[in-house]
């Protein structure tokens, strides 16, 4: 996902004590709790004795036995490194985890970082309360304001977009005036901003700065960095659309992108959720750019259940992905149909050419020119060539029946 492989400054917290004092048990509990709260947790254990890293008979063990001083094993999802080295320092190891929110360190009782001392496995502390202490430390040690460079890096904004935002002429006074107008009179804000000849670049620069200023509000509500950065990754999605459709750096869909800046929409994993407190409904949106994997959608709904609580009684969604016509175009194992089948489709809206825009990247009057690079493109093209539209469907999920 978006929040990974990025330089940062993790908090260090240690669990120390004598042998068999319950250190590992406490570490396990803290890792589960903090991970469950949305933090990325890395763990380091100091062994006072030399340890055996590889099982006898494995390929890496055979490499080591043959005389290699170091060995590495990796796959598409993880890697393991073993290296003979005297005098290894903690700083060398923590450097492997720049994307972590916190690094828990088992052992190293003489190190300088803050730590909890275990005395007896029967007298371990309340892990939830200790996790509260660590979470407070994480939030305290972070800057209360998000730096522009950090935000652009973490949402993977392309370099040209970073340069555009960094060089855009906007003084602090001008920025504050636009910021006040945005939050006090949104209608007038858009009327004035849309008059600009450089509005794509203007919106990109302004929205990035507004997102930075909003970071403390996310922290105050206990929302994790992962959700914050994933939510504002939408800026990168619509930056790429601007480059594709207009050939210039900037953003499009600026009214849609105003929603996260008002904390009216959040991305939780694969899906976005827009709370509607008045009707007790969570509107579901599907950001483009990634496969609609059924497992990932399931995780998003599960996270939304926890994130928003029980007061919202229903999910709903209005999208071409819920069009019943797709049942005839796609195979039953299609991820699109798996997503559609989560909902009870209540109504169909025709005609609507949203599907053409999403599937082909643009709506063309000469439908013969639509590409046929994927099975979905071929199926949709075959349908629209007959004069039909996929249309859009509206569906609901009763949360009380989940």
């Amino acid at each position: 996902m978006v929040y990974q492989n990025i330089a940062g400054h993790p908090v260090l917290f240690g669990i120390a004590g004598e042998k068999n004092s319950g250190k590992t048990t406490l570490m396990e509990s803290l890792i589960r709790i903090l991970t469950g709260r949305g933090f990325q947790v890395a763990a380091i254990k100091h062994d006072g004795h030399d340890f055996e890293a590889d099982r006898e008979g494995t390929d890496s063990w055979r490499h080591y036995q043959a005389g290699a001083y170091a060995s590495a094993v990796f796959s598409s999802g993880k890697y393991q490194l073993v290296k003979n080295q005297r005098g290894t320092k903690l700083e060398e190891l923590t450097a492997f985890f720049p994307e972590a929110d916190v690094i828990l360190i088992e052992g190293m009782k003489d190190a300088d970082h803050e730590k909890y001392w275990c005395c007896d496995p029967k007298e371990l502390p309340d892990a939830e309360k200790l996790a509260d202490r660590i979470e407070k430390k994480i939030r305290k040690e972070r800057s209360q304001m998000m730096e522009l460079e950090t935000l652009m890096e973490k949402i993977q904004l392309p370099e040209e977009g970073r340069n555009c935002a960094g060089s855009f002429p906007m003084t602090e006074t001008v920025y504050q005036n636009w910021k006040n107008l945005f939050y006090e009179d949104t209608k007038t804000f858009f009327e004035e901003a849309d008059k600009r000849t450089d509005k794509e670049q203007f919106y990109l620069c302004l929205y990035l700065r507004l997102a930075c200023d909003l970071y403390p509000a996310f922290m105050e509500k206990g929302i994790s960095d992962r959700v914050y950065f994933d939510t504002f990754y939408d800026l990168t999605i619509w930056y790429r659309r601007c480059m594709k459709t207009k050939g210039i750096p900037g953003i499009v869909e600026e009214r849609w992108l105003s929603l996260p800046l008002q904390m009216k929409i959040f991305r939780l994993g694969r899906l976005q959720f827009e709370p509607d407190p008045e009707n007790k409904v969570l509107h579901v949106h599907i950001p483009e750019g990634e496969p609609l994997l059924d497992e990932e959608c399931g995780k998003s709904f599960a996270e939304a259940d926890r994130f928003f609580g029980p007061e919202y009684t229903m999910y709903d969604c209005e999208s071409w992905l819920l069009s019943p016509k797709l049942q005839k175009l796609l195979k039953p194992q299609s991820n699109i149909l798996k997503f559609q089948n989560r909902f009870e489709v209540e109504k169909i809206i025709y005609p609507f050419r949203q599907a053409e825009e999403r599937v082909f990247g643009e709506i063309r009057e000469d439908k013969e020119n639509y590409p046929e690079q994927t099975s979905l493109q071929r199926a949709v093209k075959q349908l629209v060539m007959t004069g039909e539209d996929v249309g859009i469907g509206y569906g609901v999920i009763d949360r009380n029946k989940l």
Side-chain angles (χ1 to χ4, degrees), residues 305-321:
D305 286 340
R306 298 188 297 269
F307 189 89
F308 293 103
E311 60 266 29
Y312 292 91
T313 60
M314 185 173 70
Y315 293 106
D316 75 353
C317 182
E318 186 175 278
S319 170
W320 69 275
L321 295 169

Side-chain angles (χ1 to χ4, degrees), residues 324-335:
K325 289 191 176 182
L326 296 175
Q327 297 281 348
K328 297 179 180 180
L329 297 179
L330 304 176
K331 296 179 180 179
Q333 63 269 29
S334 161
N335 282 313

Side-chain angles (χ1 to χ4, degrees), residues 133-192:
R133 173 179 161 186
I134 296 171
E135 179 172 350
K136 185 177 180 180
K137 180 177 176 66
I138 294 170
R139 298 191 182 281
K140 181 179 179 181
E141 292 192 11
R142 286 175 180 163
S143 168
Q144 286 298 300
M145 294 302 295
M146 175 61 58
E147 294 293 332
L148 179 62
E149 287 295 331
T150 302
L151 174 63
M152 292 192 295
E153 182 179 9
K154 293 199 174 193
I155 65 172
Q156 300 177 1
L157 187 69
E159 184 176 359
E160 189 173 2
R162 300 184 201 184
N163 294 336
C164 173
S167 62
F168 190 85
M170 183 181 292
T171 65
E172 184 63 25
T173 300
V174 171
Y175 167 67
Q176 290 297 334
N177 289 338
W178 280 110
K179 177 181 177 180
N180 292 338
L181 185 60
F182 176 84
Y183 286 112
E184 293 171 6
D185 188 348
T186 306
K187 181 175 182 293
T188 301
F189 166 81
F190 283 119
E191 288 175 353
E192 294 300 316

